[in-house]
Amino acid sequence: MIVRFYSSSSPTFLVNQELALEIYKIMGKEHTQKGIICQNDFDSISERLSNPNLKNIKLGGVNMDIRLFPLKKMIKKAKLSDDKFITWEQLR
């Protein structure tokens, strides 16, 4: 499974199933075929993604905080551009 995170203000962020499941867990979101991060959730999810304890978790030999960097940047850009949401969808 490949999951695509999309925001009109950022490049698309593609992840594999293993990372997508971890991202959902960290964000506190359900694993669904399609989903949305609303503008009013940007700050709380950003905070979760920036948890210093994520540096201690490795996925495929890479620290989780490094793997989450593109999504954190996407949220930051969405906030600056006044985007209303970020979506994700399972591609296959």
Side-chain angles (χ1 to χ4, degrees):
M1 167 182 74
I2 301 294
V3 175
R4 176 180 71 163
F5 287 85
Y6 173 80
S7 168
S8 63
S9 60
S10 298
T12 300
F13 176 46
L14 298 172
V15 299
N16 64 19
Q17 178 178 4
E18 185 179 15
L19 181 54
L21 294 174
E22 290 300 318
I23 289 173
Y24 300 145
K25 195 182 319 178
I26 292 166
M27 290 191 309
K29 296 282 190 175
E30 294 290 322
H31 169 208
T32 56
Q33 173 113 14
K34 293 183 178 186
I36 189 167
I37 303 169
C38 296
Q39 187 179 42
N40 60 349
D41 293 328
F42 287 169
D43 288 334
S44 63
I45 289 178
S46 242
E47 190 174 310
R48 288 174 179 227
L49 296 174
S50 298
N51 183 331
N53 294 328
L54 294 174
K55 292 180 180 179
N56 302 323
I57 300 171
K58 290 193 183 246
L59 186 64
V62 178
N63 290 357
M64 187 61 73
D65 65 325
I66 293 170
R67 291 197 179 270
L68 296 173
F69 180 78
L71 184 56
K72 291 189 288 189
K73 190 171 183 177
M74 181 180 280
I75 292 171
K76 183 177 181 179
K77 283 188 171 189
K79 285 174 57 175
L80 291 173
S81 70
D82 205 31
D83 280 355
K84 303 295 183 213
F85 54 84
I86 293 171
T87 61
W88 75 78
E89 68 177 320
Q90 184 176 321
L91 299 178
R92 52 182 169 129

